[in-house]
Amino acid sequence: MITKFRCNLCSSNELEALLEFGEHPIAHRFLDAPDEHEYTHPVRVWLCRECGLTQLVDPIPPEELYTDYNWLSSWKFNPHIPRLLKLISELPGIGPNSAILEVGSNDGSFLGELHKEGYKNLLGMEPARDACAAAAERGIETLPAYFNQQTASELVEARGSFDLIMVRQVLEHVTGLEEFREALKVCLKP
């Protein structure tokens, strides 16, 4: 079956509909008034016949989904954080002065934990306004942007390459995995 949609991994247009859930509102968004318009979007899960990736097709436009969050990372239970901090401390060549970028850094809570562990050269990248404001309140430098090849190139030109790039709870939201991978290559030191 050839469709208008392209696979998020291999770019094939050999996709097959698996589940169609209809139109739904964004789960974490609340209306301010009973007569306020509520945005809805179709939820469609399809399978790529070429590579086997099961994926959402026609995802919510990023500017609709990532302008503001109502739930920030620091409000969630994160029992995995101590394990991640330990793993990072054991990485060869990574130390307190290493340049570390977190893509999709939300309110900067994880970068704040790294800072408490002595890491000094930290940067977050996050498109949501409320999350960036919360990160600023924490003292975590955060660029209000989407991570792509253009922002990666601009970032490297302004600050240099990074020793470590953190991407946590982000890949499932990336609608162009190939471009995302290329942007990582631009930012990461060899």
Side-chain angles (χ1 to χ4, degrees):
M1 164 192 288
I2 296 178
T3 69
K4 67 179 180 176
F5 300 117
R6 293 209 165 274
C7 176
N8 192 23
L9 184 60
C10 74
S11 297
S12 168
N13 59 356
E14 295 283 331
L15 298 171
E16 176 183 348
L18 293 179
L19 297 167
E20 301 275 342
F21 291 104
E23 299 264 332
H24 289 271
I26 295 173
H28 60 78
R29 191 168 293 163
F30 301 109
L31 302 179
D32 292 323
D35 59 344
E36 183 181 346
H37 169 74
E38 184 165 34
Y39 176 87
T40 61
H41 197 83
V43 178
R44 303 172 181 162
V45 180
W46 288 33
L47 171 71
C48 177
R49 294 178 142 221
E50 282 294 312
C51 72
L53 180 67
T54 301
Q55 59 203 282
L56 290 174
V57 295
D58 188 25
I60 298 171
E63 61 278 359
E64 185 65 46
L65 191 57
Y66 303 114
T67 300
D68 281 305
Y69 303 140
N70 292 336
W71 309 100
L72 300 175
S73 290
S74 60
W75 302 349
K76 299 175 190 172
F77 180 56
N78 290 300
H80 62 286
I81 298 296
R83 183 176 154 269
L84 283 179
L85 294 171
K86 183 177 184 310
L87 286 170
I88 291 170
S89 73
E90 294 170 348
L91 289 172
I94 301 298
N97 295 316
S98 296
I100 300 174
L101 170 66
E102 184 179 16
V103 176
S105 57
N106 201 281
D107 62 5
S109 56
F110 183 72
L111 291 174
E113 293 298 319
L114 280 171
H115 184 72
K116 287 178 195 173
E117 295 292 316
Y119 295 91
K120 299 174 182 75
N121 192 3
L122 305 170
L123 178 66
M125 184 175 283
E126 172 61 54
R129 295 177 298 209
D130 56 351
C132 284
E137 287 177 22
R138 274 195 159 78
I140 301 297
E141 183 181 4
T142 305
L143 298 178
Y146 292 100
F147 187 71
N148 55 41
Q149 285 182 285
Q150 180 182 336
T151 57
S153 295
E154 292 168 359
L155 187 55
V156 169
E157 187 175 316
R159 299 180 69 120
S161 298
F162 290 85
D163 300 298
L164 177 64
I165 300 176
M166 300 291 303
V167 182
R168 300 176 321 108
Q169 301 172 6
V170 169
L171 290 179
E172 63 271 24
H173 302 284
V174 174
T175 58
L177 290 171
E178 181 75 23
E179 181 182 9
F180 194 85
R181 181 184 61 129
E182 293 304 312
L184 288 171
K185 284 180 176 179
V186 168
C187 281
L188 194 59
K189 288 181 182 174

